[in-house]
Structure formats: C-alpha cells, structure tokens
Amino acid sequence: MATPTDFRASGRSGDGRGEGRSADGRGAAGRGAGATAEPRTAGMQPPARRTNGAVVAVKNVFIAESSTFYTILGVTLFLVVFGVVMVLSSSSVEQYAATHDFFGAASRQGLYAILGVPLMLVASRVPARMWRKWAMRILGIGLVFQLLVFTPLGIDVQGNRNWIGLGSFTAQPSEVLKLALALGVGAIMYVKRDKLDDWKEVFIPIGIAALVSLGLVLLGGDQGTAMIMVLLVLGGLYVGGARAKHLLVVLGTIAVVLPFVTMASSSRSVRISAWLSGCSDSNQYQDLCWQPVHGMWALASGGVFGVGLGNSKAKWSWLPEADNDYIFAIIGEELGLIGAVVVLALFVVLAIGMVKIIRQSNDPFVKTVTGGVMVWIIGQALVNIAVVLGLLPVLGVPLPLISAGGSALIMTLVAIGVVLSFARDLPGKNGTTGTTTGGTGTGTGAGTGRLPSPTMNGTLR
C-alpha cells in the first residue's frame, strides 16, 4: 500500500510551478520546483513562511564592514566620549566661578558630540564618487564661509579674527575650510592623475586653491591653523602621488617664506622669542610664559599614575585654556604618564587605520583626501602635544576630538566620516565581490529549491 511519502511533486519547467498529489488525491500547488509534497494530517501545523524581501532589505543595512572601518569608528567614538569627560573635569571650576554651573562647558561639548556623531555616520554613507563630484563646490563654500570673518559677523578671539558670531552662537569657518581644501586637492589630483610628472599641471591649480585658502586664514591672524592647512596639503600631495622633487621645491619655498610671515605679527614674534629663550626671563613669567610654565608643572605633578580624575590643581585658574589648547596638560596631571601614553596610542591606531585605507585603495582621490585628513588630525594632535611639552611655541591649536570647541569637533567628525565612506568601498574588503544569487520562493512556488553555495556569484553574509 502506498504511503503519502511515495508520491513526489512533479515540476514543470515552463512556468516554474510545481504540482504534487497526496494520498487523498488533492493537488498541492505552489510548493516550488523540485520540492516534495508534504501531507497534511490532523493536528499538524503548516510549514513556517519564508522571510520576505522587506526583512532582507532591512538586514542589508547592517551588513558588516571591514575591520578598518570599525577600528577608525571605535577609536573616534572613544576619543569623543573621553574628550567630553576631560572637558567636564578641566572646565568645571572656572565654569562654576563664571556661571555657577559646573557642567556648562561639558554640556555644550556633549551637544556638539550629539550633533557631530550622526553627521559623521551620514557622511560615511555618501559614496566616494559623490564627494569627488561635489569637491570643488564644497571648496567654494568653504572659501565663502572664511570670507565671513571679514564682515560684521567676524569677531576677534585673542587677537585672531578667525571666528563668526550670530548672537550667542560662534563658529570657526577655517574648520570647514580644512575639509573643503582636502576634498579640493583630492579632486584636482584625480583629474591630473595622468599628468603628475608635469609640475605645472598639478601645482598651479592646487597652488591657487591652497594660497587663497591660506591667505584668508593668515589675513585673520591665525598662523596655527594656517600651519595645519599647509601640512594637510603637503600630506595629501605626497600620498596622492606628487613627485618628491616637486615637493622639495615647495618645502624650500615654505622655509624661506615662513620667517617673514611669523615676524609680520609682533605678538607671534614675541611668543617665539620667549620660547627660544626657554622662559628664562623672570619678567615674562606673569605674561608670555605663564601658560607654558604652568602647563609643564601640571604635567610634572601627574607622575606615572596621575593625581586622579577631577583632582587637578592647575584647573583652579592656574592654567589658561585648560579645557582647550592645554587640555593635554590636565590629562597628564590627572591620569599621569599612563593616560597620556594611551591618548597618544589611540591617535597612532587612528593613523594606522587611515594608512590601511590608503594602501588598499586604487583611487587617487581616495588616497589624497585620506592622506590630507590623516595629516590634519594626527599632525594637529602632535602639534598640540608638542606645544604642551614645550617643544613648540604656543600656536593656539586644539587637540582633535578632545579639546572643547564645537566647530572643530563637528568638522573633524565629518572629515572622519568622509574617510569611513572610503573604507566602505575598499576593493576586496570582503574577500570577493558580487551578490549572492540564492533562490527565493513565492506563493506560486518560484525558486531554485536549493541553498546558495559559497562558490556562487558572491559570498554568504
């Protein structure tokens, strides 16, 4: 006597519909080509429905990225959270003295982080070709923003006219210009990728863009930011494939021009003179040397393990800009040598992640922009730390991702978001390319009736 399992579905290849007959003679339609007919007995539940396309589409949003992507993202988020904590610790005393609110500066920094992190994630979803397409327009927008400092909106901060103010809101347009310049240089290097041996084809357009940007920043008196922008351009050119002999000529020109630019400002020349003398003149202690001397004392008092988070003495109005330019001194005092080394190590890991993107990418635009952003962030961090250690004169550049400041934090996060968007498109990041072509079933039985194999067109996720 035949049992229900003796009857198998017979599929017709023409229309993709399968038909099987059970023991009771009823047809089972819509089971898929090659599928076995399953009997329905009393008390047996029908088979579970297959996952529909909408759920699959949602899952695709969370497809795993490369390890480089998550390394850069993880280090960035840690530095941002760490920065908010250190801003709270370093600014609480002076904030309470000024406004009777311990959390004023930290609350603003947290708000900037809440704004900046989503912008970073949004920027990471933009394809590289879109950044390349809009690079020159973004550079133009950055230049327009920088011009606003010379309008009635511009305000002076410690002798530098590099800020704009709208009521209680203030911003630093040069932070936007940094990212815009990195994108602009990258777009030019992409267009001129086959003409790198001809210095006129490369350095004339890039020179115009760089000189206009630097000129506007220097006109406002911010030499520290201008130096970071010079490093950004040189780093992008070097990584993008510019010839070494051409870069040496540029470096020689900068070495000749830099002393004249420095001496053009009396305040800069006096600060540099005090730094060169090692602050040995007691008359300068109450003026030019107060900040660097107390910053060094804060570092020295931290020792190896630090005095403990929140226990800094320098932040009690002994160290100007304790939550901004000299926040690394508070880190060294409260967390000691170990905390300072950890911060340095995190920036090194961030640099390694960006170097991996540069090495794995074949796109000149991606290489140039990533190189520029890497030199901008890592170079600025090293300059800030060198100032606190007394290796450089006071330049007024913040520690990226950690120092207080809204425009600097937000634009640095957006720049890292651009680099993360490049990490999404690295060639061979998942081993193979393509998409899986496993069969899908419908109510009428359309499908292949087999599981996709790793050797099919793509990889299983």
Side-chain angles (χ1 to χ4, degrees):
M1 180 177 180
T3 62
T5 56
D6 293 329
F7 298 94
R8 306 186 63 83
S10 59
R12 279 182 285 178
S13 58
D15 56 5
R17 290 176 296 178
E19 220 177 64
R21 189 165 298 277
S22 62
D24 60 0
R26 288 179 299 178
R31 298 190 183 275
T36 14
E38 297 181 4
R40 294 198 180 195
T41 59
M44 180 179 293
Q45 296 297 328
R49 298 181 62 184
R50 301 184 64 176
T51 305
N52 57 35
V55 176
V56 174
V58 172
K59 289 181 178 179
N60 287 337
V61 177
F62 303 99
I63 291 175
E65 300 294 342
S66 64
S67 59
T68 302
F69 179 94
Y70 287 115
T71 298
I72 296 175
L73 179 61
V75 171
T76 300
L77 293 178
F78 181 86
L79 286 173
V80 170
V81 174
F82 178 75
V84 174
V85 173
M86 292 310 305
V87 168
L88 171 61
S89 177
S90 59
S91 65
S92 57
V93 173
E94 292 191 356
Q95 281 290 304
Y96 183 79
T99 64
H100 295 284
D101 181 11
F102 286 109
F103 304 97
S107 299
R108 290 192 298 271
Q109 189 73 1
L111 176 61
Y112 299 144
I114 291 174
L115 294 174
V117 170
L119 288 176
M120 175 183 67
L121 297 177
V122 170
S124 71
R125 303 295 298 183
V126 179
R129 64 180 182 276
M130 293 300 296
W131 289 117
R132 185 169 64 242
K133 178 180 178 181
W134 287 89
M136 299 310 295
R137 296 181 179 92
I138 295 174
L139 178 57
I141 294 172
L143 292 172
V144 171
F145 278 173
Q146 188 62 34
L147 284 171
L148 292 179
V149 303
F150 305 109
T151 67
L153 295 176
I155 57 177
D156 290 327
V157 177
Q158 296 182 356
N160 293 338
R161 191 175 180 83
N162 201 28
W163 294 76
I164 57 174
L166 292 173
S168 60
F169 173 78
T170 60
Q172 195 172 6
S174 59
E175 296 297 331
V176 180
L177 190 55
K178 288 177 183 176
L179 177 58
L181 187 57
L183 292 171
V185 172
I188 295 172
M189 290 293 287
Y190 179 82
V191 173
K192 304 293 185 179
R193 61 189 180 277
D194 297 326
K195 303 176 182 179
L196 297 180
D197 289 325
D198 188 350
W199 69 270
K200 294 181 181 179
E201 292 287 342
V202 176
F203 284 88
I204 289 180
I206 290 179
I208 293 173
L211 288 176
V212 172
S213 303
L214 292 170
L216 292 177
V217 174
L218 286 174
L219 195 60
D222 193 349
Q223 186 177 0
T225 299
M227 289 179 61
I228 301 302
M229 294 172 66
V230 169
L231 293 176
L232 181 156
V233 174
L234 292 176
L237 288 173
Y238 178 77
V239 173
R243 300 299 177 255
K245 58 183 179 181
H246 300 157
L247 290 175
L248 288 175
V249 175
V250 175
L251 288 173
T253 304
I254 294 174
V256 173
V257 174
L258 184 61
F260 295 98
V261 175
T262 301
M263 298 304 172
S265 172
S266 59
S267 62
R268 284 198 297 265
S269 60
V270 171
R271 286 201 307 268
I272 293 175
S273 299
W275 169 72
L276 291 174
S277 66
C279 288
S280 56
D281 189 353
S282 60
N283 295 326
Q284 297 176 334
Y285 171 73
Q286 295 288 342
D287 186 14
L288 299 172
C289 294
W290 180 275
Q291 190 177 29
V293 167
H294 283 82
M296 189 66 68
W297 288 351
L299 278 174
S301 63
V304 176
F305 300 102
V307 297
L309 187 64
N311 294 327
S312 168
K313 296 181 176 63
K315 68 182 181 183
W316 290 75
S317 300
W318 290 102
L319 181 61
E321 301 296 336
D323 62 338
N324 198 332
D325 298 347
Y326 269 75
I327 196 170
F328 188 75
I330 304 299
I331 294 173
E333 183 183 8
E334 294 188 346
L335 304 180
L337 178 63
I338 294 177
V341 170
V342 168
V343 171
L344 280 171
L346 290 172
F347 280 109
V348 170
V349 172
L350 190 62
I352 292 173
M354 294 185 183
V355 168
K356 287 184 177 180
I357 295 176
I358 294 170
R359 291 175 62 88
Q360 296 176 17
S361 177
N362 299 320
D363 190 338
F365 174 77
V366 171
K367 288 176 173 288
T368 303
V369 176
T370 305
V373 172
M374 179 183 68
V375 175
W376 159 18
I377 297 175
I378 307 305
Q380 182 170 320
L382 294 178
V383 168
N384 176 275
I385 293 171
V387 169
V388 176
L389 294 175
L391 302 177
L392 288 175
V394 178
L395 295 174
V397 295
L399 186 60
L401 302 174
I402 297 179
S403 291
S407 52
L409 176 61
I410 291 174
M411 292 313 303
T412 302
L413 287 172
V414 173
I416 293 176
V418 174
V419 174
L420 290 175
S421 72
F422 299 155
R424 289 181 180 274
D425 299 328
L426 290 178
K429 69 174 184 179
N430 294 316
T432 58
T433 58
T435 57
T436 307
T437 57
T440 57
T442 63
T444 59
T448 62
R450 54 179 176 165
L451 291 175
S453 168
T455 59
M456 298 174 68
N457 183 27
T459 57
L460 295 178
R461 298 184 185 275

PDB file of all heavy atoms in Angstrom, residues 205-236:
ATOM      1  N   PRO A 205      47.048  74.604 -10.283  1.00  0.00           N
ATOM      2  CA  PRO A 205      45.680  74.645  -9.711  1.00  0.00           C
ATOM      3  C   PRO A 205      45.654  74.424  -8.207  1.00  0.00           C
ATOM      4  O   PRO A 205      44.893  75.086  -7.484  1.00  0.00           O
ATOM      5  CB  PRO A 205      44.958  73.519 -10.466  1.00  0.00           C
ATOM      6  CG  PRO A 205      46.023  72.627 -10.978  1.00  0.00           C
ATOM      7  CD  PRO A 205      47.201  73.498 -11.254  1.00  0.00           C
ATOM      8  N   ILE A 206      46.472  73.480  -7.722  1.00  0.00           N
ATOM      9  CA  ILE A 206      46.492  73.234  -6.278  1.00  0.00           C
ATOM     10  C   ILE A 206      47.088  74.426  -5.546  1.00  0.00           C
ATOM     11  O   ILE A 206      46.627  74.806  -4.458  1.00  0.00           O
ATOM     12  CB  ILE A 206      47.274  71.949  -5.970  1.00  0.00           C
ATOM     13  CG1 ILE A 206      46.493  70.733  -6.463  1.00  0.00           C
ATOM     14  CG2 ILE A 206      47.545  71.817  -4.469  1.00  0.00           C
ATOM     15  CD1 ILE A 206      47.174  69.418  -6.233  1.00  0.00           C
ATOM     16  N   GLY A 207      48.110  75.049  -6.131  1.00  0.00           N
ATOM     17  CA  GLY A 207      48.715  76.227  -5.515  1.00  0.00           C
ATOM     18  C   GLY A 207      47.730  77.372  -5.383  1.00  0.00           C
ATOM     19  O   GLY A 207      47.702  78.075  -4.364  1.00  0.00           O
ATOM     20  N   ILE A 208      46.905  77.575  -6.411  1.00  0.00           N
ATOM     21  CA  ILE A 208      45.909  78.645  -6.349  1.00  0.00           C
ATOM     22  C   ILE A 208      44.907  78.381  -5.231  1.00  0.00           C
ATOM     23  O   ILE A 208      44.609  79.268  -4.411  1.00  0.00           O
ATOM     24  CB  ILE A 208      45.195  78.783  -7.710  1.00  0.00           C
ATOM     25  CG1 ILE A 208      46.169  79.273  -8.778  1.00  0.00           C
ATOM     26  CG2 ILE A 208      44.010  79.733  -7.592  1.00  0.00           C
ATOM     27  CD1 ILE A 208      45.591  79.287 -10.172  1.00  0.00           C
ATOM     28  N   ALA A 209      44.391  77.143  -5.188  1.00  0.00           N
ATOM     29  CA  ALA A 209      43.409  76.806  -4.148  1.00  0.00           C
ATOM     30  C   ALA A 209      44.019  76.928  -2.753  1.00  0.00           C
ATOM     31  O   ALA A 209      43.394  77.472  -1.826  1.00  0.00           O
ATOM     32  CB  ALA A 209      42.885  75.390  -4.378  1.00  0.00           C
ATOM     33  N   ALA A 210      45.259  76.455  -2.602  1.00  0.00           N
ATOM     34  CA  ALA A 210      45.895  76.485  -1.282  1.00  0.00           C
ATOM     35  C   ALA A 210      46.256  77.903  -0.861  1.00  0.00           C
ATOM     36  O   ALA A 210      46.043  78.290   0.296  1.00  0.00           O
ATOM     37  CB  ALA A 210      47.135  75.602  -1.289  1.00  0.00           C
ATOM     38  N   LEU A 211      46.802  78.680  -1.781  1.00  0.00           N
ATOM     39  CA  LEU A 211      47.236  80.038  -1.425  1.00  0.00           C
ATOM     40  C   LEU A 211      46.049  80.933  -1.079  1.00  0.00           C
ATOM     41  O   LEU A 211      46.138  81.750  -0.159  1.00  0.00           O
ATOM     42  CB  LEU A 211      48.041  80.639  -2.576  1.00  0.00           C
ATOM     43  CG  LEU A 211      49.438  80.050  -2.784  1.00  0.00           C
ATOM     44  CD1 LEU A 211      50.100  80.665  -4.017  1.00  0.00           C
ATOM     45  CD2 LEU A 211      50.304  80.277  -1.554  1.00  0.00           C
ATOM     46  N   VAL A 212      44.945  80.780  -1.807  1.00  0.00           N
ATOM     47  CA  VAL A 212      43.762  81.579  -1.468  1.00  0.00           C
ATOM     48  C   VAL A 212      43.247  81.203  -0.082  1.00  0.00           C
ATOM     49  O   VAL A 212      42.927  82.076   0.741  1.00  0.00           O
ATOM     50  CB  VAL A 212      42.666  81.384  -2.538  1.00  0.00           C
ATOM     51  CG1 VAL A 212      41.370  82.062  -2.093  1.00  0.00           C
ATOM     52  CG2 VAL A 212      43.113  81.944  -3.876  1.00  0.00           C
ATOM     53  N   SER A 213      43.187  79.917   0.190  1.00  0.00           N
ATOM     54  CA  SER A 213      42.700  79.457   1.499  1.00  0.00           C
ATOM     55  C   SER A 213      43.627  79.918   2.628  1.00  0.00           C
ATOM     56  O   SER A 213      43.179  80.464   3.639  1.00  0.00           O
ATOM     57  CB  SER A 213      42.591  77.925   1.505  1.00  0.00           C
ATOM     58  OG  SER A 213      41.744  77.468   0.475  1.00  0.00           O
ATOM     59  N   LEU A 214      44.924  79.696   2.445  1.00  0.00           N
ATOM     60  CA  LEU A 214      45.889  80.099   3.470  1.00  0.00           C
ATOM     61  C   LEU A 214      45.919  81.609   3.642  1.00  0.00           C
ATOM     62  O   LEU A 214      46.051  82.124   4.762  1.00  0.00           O
ATOM     63  CB  LEU A 214      47.281  79.586   3.101  1.00  0.00           C
ATOM     64  CG  LEU A 214      47.475  78.070   3.154  1.00  0.00           C
ATOM     65  CD1 LEU A 214      48.820  77.696   2.540  1.00  0.00           C
ATOM     66  CD2 LEU A 214      47.399  77.585   4.585  1.00  0.00           C
ATOM     67  N   GLY A 215      45.805  82.345   2.540  1.00  0.00           N
ATOM     68  CA  GLY A 215      45.830  83.802   2.627  1.00  0.00           C
ATOM     69  C   GLY A 215      44.693  84.349   3.462  1.00  0.00           C
ATOM     70  O   GLY A 215      44.878  85.261   4.278  1.00  0.00           O
ATOM     71  N   LEU A 216      43.495  83.780   3.278  1.00  0.00           N
ATOM     72  CA  LEU A 216      42.348  84.252   4.060  1.00  0.00           C
ATOM     73  C   LEU A 216      42.527  83.945   5.544  1.00  0.00           C
ATOM     74  O   LEU A 216      42.152  84.756   6.403  1.00  0.00           O
ATOM     75  CB  LEU A 216      41.066  83.593   3.538  1.00  0.00           C
ATOM     76  CG  LEU A 216      40.617  84.020   2.137  1.00  0.00           C
ATOM     77  CD1 LEU A 216      39.374  83.242   1.720  1.00  0.00           C
ATOM     78  CD2 LEU A 216      40.339  85.520   2.079  1.00  0.00           C
ATOM     79  N   VAL A 217      43.092  82.766   5.857  1.00  0.00           N
ATOM     80  CA  VAL A 217      43.302  82.418   7.267  1.00  0.00           C
ATOM     81  C   VAL A 217      44.388  83.294   7.881  1.00  0.00           C
ATOM     82  O   VAL A 217      44.246  83.791   9.011  1.00  0.00           O
ATOM     83  CB  VAL A 217      43.664  80.925   7.395  1.00  0.00           C
ATOM     84  CG1 VAL A 217      44.037  80.582   8.829  1.00  0.00           C
ATOM     85  CG2 VAL A 217      42.497  80.056   6.938  1.00  0.00           C
ATOM     86  N   LEU A 218      45.485  83.500   7.152  1.00  0.00           N
ATOM     87  CA  LEU A 218      46.570  84.340   7.670  1.00  0.00           C
ATOM     88  C   LEU A 218      46.139  85.796   7.785  1.00  0.00           C
ATOM     89  O   LEU A 218      46.602  86.513   8.677  1.00  0.00           O
ATOM     90  CB  LEU A 218      47.793  84.229   6.762  1.00  0.00           C
ATOM     91  CG  LEU A 218      48.581  82.917   6.863  1.00  0.00           C
ATOM     92  CD1 LEU A 218      49.673  82.877   5.801  1.00  0.00           C
ATOM     93  CD2 LEU A 218      49.191  82.756   8.247  1.00  0.00           C
ATOM     94  N   LEU A 219      45.267  86.232   6.904  1.00  0.00           N
ATOM     95  CA  LEU A 219      44.783  87.606   6.979  1.00  0.00           C
ATOM     96  C   LEU A 219      44.016  87.845   8.282  1.00  0.00           C
ATOM     97  O   LEU A 219      43.996  88.958   8.807  1.00  0.00           O
ATOM     98  CB  LEU A 219      43.888  87.900   5.773  1.00  0.00           C
ATOM     99  CG  LEU A 219      43.574  89.373   5.491  1.00  0.00           C
ATOM    100  CD1 LEU A 219      44.855  90.163   5.239  1.00  0.00           C
ATOM    101  CD2 LEU A 219      42.642  89.498   4.284  1.00  0.00           C
ATOM    102  N   GLY A 220      43.423  86.770   8.807  1.00  0.00           N
ATOM    103  CA  GLY A 220      42.754  86.880  10.095  1.00  0.00           C
ATOM    104  C   GLY A 220      43.686  86.728  11.275  1.00  0.00           C
ATOM    105  O   GLY A 220      43.256  86.883  12.416  1.00  0.00           O
ATOM    106  N   GLY A 221      44.961  86.387  11.021  1.00  0.00           N
ATOM    107  CA  GLY A 221      45.962  86.327  12.081  1.00  0.00           C
ATOM    108  C   GLY A 221      46.121  84.966  12.733  1.00  0.00           C
ATOM    109  O   GLY A 221      46.783  84.858  13.772  1.00  0.00           O
ATOM    110  N   ASP A 222      45.563  83.906  12.147  1.00  0.00           N
ATOM    111  CA  ASP A 222      45.630  82.581  12.764  1.00  0.00           C
ATOM    112  C   ASP A 222      46.718  81.750  12.082  1.00  0.00           C
ATOM    113  O   ASP A 222      46.447  80.948  11.178  1.00  0.00           O
ATOM    114  CB  ASP A 222      44.275  81.876  12.659  1.00  0.00           C
ATOM    115  CG  ASP A 222      44.181  80.649  13.550  1.00  0.00           C
ATOM    116  OD1 ASP A 222      45.226  80.232  14.087  1.00  0.00           O
ATOM    117  OD2 ASP A 222      43.062  80.124  13.717  1.00  0.00           O
ATOM    118  N   GLN A 223      47.951  81.913  12.540  1.00  0.00           N
ATOM    119  CA  GLN A 223      49.056  81.194  11.928  1.00  0.00           C
ATOM    120  C   GLN A 223      49.035  79.709  12.288  1.00  0.00           C
ATOM    121  O   GLN A 223      49.441  78.865  11.497  1.00  0.00           O
ATOM    122  CB  GLN A 223      50.401  81.791  12.338  1.00  0.00           C
ATOM    123  CG  GLN A 223      51.584  81.169  11.612  1.00  0.00           C
ATOM    124  CD  GLN A 223      52.904  81.814  11.968  1.00  0.00           C
ATOM    125  OE1 GLN A 223      52.957  82.757  12.771  1.00  0.00           O
ATOM    126  NE2 GLN A 223      53.983  81.335  11.376  1.00  0.00           N
ATOM    127  N   GLY A 224      48.552  79.376  13.469  1.00  0.00           N
ATOM    128  CA  GLY A 224      48.492  77.969  13.867  1.00  0.00           C
ATOM    129  C   GLY A 224      47.620  77.152  12.927  1.00  0.00           C
ATOM    130  O   GLY A 224      48.013  76.079  12.454  1.00  0.00           O
ATOM    131  N   THR A 225      46.417  77.649  12.626  1.00  0.00           N
ATOM    132  CA  THR A 225      45.534  76.958  11.696  1.00  0.00           C
ATOM    133  C   THR A 225      46.139  76.908  10.306  1.00  0.00           C
ATOM    134  O   THR A 225      46.019  75.894   9.600  1.00  0.00           O
ATOM    135  CB  THR A 225      44.161  77.650  11.654  1.00  0.00           C
ATOM    136  OG1 THR A 225      43.573  77.614  12.962  1.00  0.00           O
ATOM    137  CG2 THR A 225      43.237  76.974  10.668  1.00  0.00           C
ATOM    138  N   ALA A 226      46.805  77.988   9.899  1.00  0.00           N
ATOM    139  CA  ALA A 226      47.443  78.003   8.580  1.00  0.00           C
ATOM    140  C   ALA A 226      48.530  76.943   8.476  1.00  0.00           C
ATOM    141  O   ALA A 226      48.680  76.292   7.429  1.00  0.00           O
ATOM    142  CB  ALA A 226      48.029  79.389   8.303  1.00  0.00           C
ATOM    143  N   MET A 227      49.281  76.729   9.557  1.00  0.00           N
ATOM    144  CA  MET A 227      50.317  75.695   9.532  1.00  0.00           C
ATOM    145  C   MET A 227      49.706  74.296   9.386  1.00  0.00           C
ATOM    146  O   MET A 227      50.237  73.449   8.660  1.00  0.00           O
ATOM    147  CB  MET A 227      51.154  75.770  10.812  1.00  0.00           C
ATOM    148  CG  MET A 227      52.063  76.971  10.893  1.00  0.00           C
ATOM    149  SD  MET A 227      53.011  77.012  12.438  1.00  0.00           S
ATOM    150  CE  MET A 227      53.935  75.478  12.288  1.00  0.00           C
ATOM    151  N   ILE A 228      48.589  74.059  10.049  1.00  0.00           N
ATOM    152  CA  ILE A 228      47.916  72.762   9.916  1.00  0.00           C
ATOM    153  C   ILE A 228      47.425  72.577   8.485  1.00  0.00           C
ATOM    154  O   ILE A 228      47.508  71.471   7.919  1.00  0.00           O
ATOM    155  CB  ILE A 228      46.751  72.654  10.906  1.00  0.00           C
ATOM    156  CG1 ILE A 228      47.252  72.806  12.349  1.00  0.00           C
ATOM    157  CG2 ILE A 228      46.026  71.334  10.736  1.00  0.00           C
ATOM    158  CD1 ILE A 228      48.297  71.792  12.747  1.00  0.00           C
ATOM    159  N   MET A 229      46.940  73.630   7.864  1.00  0.00           N
ATOM    160  CA  MET A 229      46.474  73.529   6.483  1.00  0.00           C
ATOM    161  C   MET A 229      47.623  73.267   5.518  1.00  0.00           C
ATOM    162  O   MET A 229      47.465  72.538   4.530  1.00  0.00           O
ATOM    163  CB  MET A 229      45.711  74.803   6.106  1.00  0.00           C
ATOM    164  CG  MET A 229      44.416  74.981   6.875  1.00  0.00           C
ATOM    165  SD  MET A 229      43.609  76.575   6.608  1.00  0.00           S
ATOM    166  CE  MET A 229      43.174  76.440   4.883  1.00  0.00           C
ATOM    167  N   VAL A 230      48.782  73.837   5.792  1.00  0.00           N
ATOM    168  CA  VAL A 230      49.959  73.543   4.962  1.00  0.00           C
ATOM    169  C   VAL A 230      50.327  72.066   5.068  1.00  0.00           C
ATOM    170  O   VAL A 230      50.599  71.395   4.064  1.00  0.00           O
ATOM    171  CB  VAL A 230      51.146  74.437   5.379  1.00  0.00           C
ATOM    172  CG1 VAL A 230      52.436  73.970   4.712  1.00  0.00           C
ATOM    173  CG2 VAL A 230      50.873  75.884   5.012  1.00  0.00           C
ATOM    174  N   LEU A 231      50.316  71.546   6.292  1.00  0.00           N
ATOM    175  CA  LEU A 231      50.592  70.123   6.482  1.00  0.00           C
ATOM    176  C   LEU A 231      49.559  69.263   5.756  1.00  0.00           C
ATOM    177  O   LEU A 231      49.899  68.232   5.157  1.00  0.00           O
ATOM    178  CB  LEU A 231      50.594  69.787   7.975  1.00  0.00           C
ATOM    179  CG  LEU A 231      51.717  70.401   8.825  1.00  0.00           C
ATOM    180  CD1 LEU A 231      51.514  70.035  10.296  1.00  0.00           C
ATOM    181  CD2 LEU A 231      53.085  69.930   8.348  1.00  0.00           C
ATOM    182  N   LEU A 232      48.309  69.672   5.811  1.00  0.00           N
ATOM    183  CA  LEU A 232      47.233  68.941   5.141  1.00  0.00           C
ATOM    184  C   LEU A 232      47.491  68.843   3.644  1.00  0.00           C
ATOM    185  O   LEU A 232      47.389  67.760   3.048  1.00  0.00           O
ATOM    186  CB  LEU A 232      45.907  69.649   5.427  1.00  0.00           C
ATOM    187  CG  LEU A 232      44.594  69.096   4.872  1.00  0.00           C
ATOM    188  CD1 LEU A 232      43.440  69.585   5.765  1.00  0.00           C
ATOM    189  CD2 LEU A 232      44.322  69.530   3.442  1.00  0.00           C
ATOM    190  N   VAL A 233      47.820  69.970   3.029  1.00  0.00           N
ATOM    191  CA  VAL A 233      48.054  69.983   1.574  1.00  0.00           C
ATOM    192  C   VAL A 233      49.269  69.136   1.217  1.00  0.00           C
ATOM    193  O   VAL A 233      49.232  68.323   0.279  1.00  0.00           O
ATOM    194  CB  VAL A 233      48.212  71.432   1.079  1.00  0.00           C
ATOM    195  CG1 VAL A 233      48.612  71.449  -0.403  1.00  0.00           C
ATOM    196  CG2 VAL A 233      46.927  72.210   1.274  1.00  0.00           C
ATOM    197  N   LEU A 234      50.367  69.308   1.959  1.00  0.00           N
ATOM    198  CA  LEU A 234      51.581  68.545   1.666  1.00  0.00           C
ATOM    199  C   LEU A 234      51.342  67.046   1.860  1.00  0.00           C
ATOM    200  O   LEU A 234      51.806  66.225   1.057  1.00  0.00           O
ATOM    201  CB  LEU A 234      52.728  69.018   2.555  1.00  0.00           C
ATOM    202  CG  LEU A 234      53.255  70.434   2.283  1.00  0.00           C
ATOM    203  CD1 LEU A 234      54.322  70.811   3.300  1.00  0.00           C
ATOM    204  CD2 LEU A 234      53.809  70.548   0.867  1.00  0.00           C
ATOM    205  N   GLY A 235      50.626  66.676   2.928  1.00  0.00           N
ATOM    206  CA  GLY A 235      50.335  65.267   3.155  1.00  0.00           C
ATOM    207  C   GLY A 235      49.482  64.679   2.050  1.00  0.00           C
ATOM    208  O   GLY A 235      49.730  63.560   1.578  1.00  0.00           O
ATOM    209  N   GLY A 236      48.463  65.420   1.605  1.00  0.00           N
ATOM    210  CA  GLY A 236      47.626  64.941   0.515  1.00  0.00           C
ATOM    211  C   GLY A 236      48.394  64.787  -0.779  1.00  0.00           C
ATOM    212  O   GLY A 236      48.223  63.803  -1.505  1.00  0.00           O
TER     213      GLY A 236
END
